[in-house]
Amino acid sequence: MATPPSLCIEKLKQALDAAEIGQHPVEVHGALVGLICGGVKQDHMAWLKPLVELMNDGQALEHNLQHLITELYQDTVARLADFEFGFTLLLPEEEVSLSQRVEALALWTQSFLTGIAIIQPELAKASPDVREVIKDLAEIAQVEFDVGDDDESETAYVELQEFVRMSAILCYSEFGLDMPLNDTDKSSTIH
């Protein structure tokens, strides 16, 4: 994502507000990543229907909002598919208070778990590593953090964020890795 997360979050928040959708941008990204990492079909924009079900009770999205989410989808798939692009979670940056960033991480994680569960309803049959990660993510999503404004809390948050990021990559490697990138701007074949 060439755009800094704060600008991307703000742009998406404005579009969500204009469409009167009560989702936070981190929830949208978390659900989107969950769908992708769960192995949603990536051709003919098949990912859009389950996302719209989650976000807007199945009602069509306003054009500008759908365009922004499609760009976010394409960027996310590209970053997950090619490790060099550096997949990241769409979360507030350091300027935002630590308690707000922790809350955003919990929201992102809850939405990720919802998205992956929709596409992979039989997660109990996943590899032991993925089952363990899903269990840990569920705990992270439910925990209420009492966060101090100190270096130790900041370090713990960064470690937790990295764990969630790597967990998403692990799920993608199990469920979504060999999927065609038909909806992305990439038109070249990878050999």
Side-chain angles (χ1 to χ4, degrees):
M1 196 173 310
T3 308
S6 58
L7 293 179
C8 188
I9 287 173
E10 188 54 39
K11 198 173 176 182
L12 187 52
K13 178 149 180 40
Q14 289 172 357
L16 287 164
D17 290 348
E20 297 181 357
I21 296 176
Q23 298 279 314
H24 190 283
V26 300
E27 292 175 289
V28 173
H29 189 249
L32 185 62
V33 174
L35 293 170
I36 295 165
C37 291
V40 71
K41 298 255 184 271
Q42 294 185 18
D43 53 354
H44 308 295
M45 293 187 63
W47 58 271
L48 186 60
K49 184 178 183 198
L51 185 67
V52 170
E53 291 287 332
L54 286 172
M55 283 179 57
N56 202 27
D57 296 326
Q59 302 298 311
L61 299 178
E62 184 271 331
H63 176 73
N64 183 47
L65 177 58
Q66 183 170 325
H67 179 74
L68 282 174
I69 292 173
T70 300
E71 285 180 346
L72 188 59
Y73 165 84
Q74 291 170 343
D75 181 74
T76 301
V77 168
R79 288 176 181 276
L80 281 165
D82 188 342
F83 204 68
E84 289 181 25
F85 284 131
F87 167 71
T88 57
L89 311 179
L90 182 63
L91 293 171
E93 295 179 270
E94 292 179 358
E95 296 78 34
V96 175
S97 74
L98 184 57
S99 62
Q100 288 178 303
R101 287 183 285 143
V102 168
E103 183 180 335
L105 180 60
L107 278 175
W108 191 99
T109 305
Q110 289 169 8
S111 298
F112 172 82
L113 291 170
T114 301
I116 200 168
I118 287 172
I119 301 302
Q120 285 295 330
E122 297 184 20
L123 282 170
K125 295 180 180 177
S127 71
D129 287 345
V130 168
R131 288 195 315 264
E132 182 68 28
V133 157
I134 295 295
K135 182 178 165 261
D136 292 343
L137 290 175
E139 291 176 15
I140 291 168
Q142 298 305 316
V143 169
E144 291 186 21
F145 298 92
D146 186 19
V147 181
D149 233 359
D150 54 54
D151 288 342
E152 188 176 312
S153 296
E154 184 71 39
T155 300
Y157 167 76
V158 169
E159 289 173 1
L160 200 56
Q161 181 182 346
E162 181 63 10
F163 175 81
V164 172
R165 185 182 83 83
M166 293 307 294
S167 297
I169 291 169
L170 176 66
C171 291
Y172 181 74
S173 70
E174 180 152 330
F175 300 122
L177 193 57
D178 295 326
M179 309 190 94
L181 301 177
N182 293 350
D183 280 358
T184 66
D185 292 334
K186 290 185 175 185
S187 57
S188 60
T189 304
I190 300 173
H191 295 282

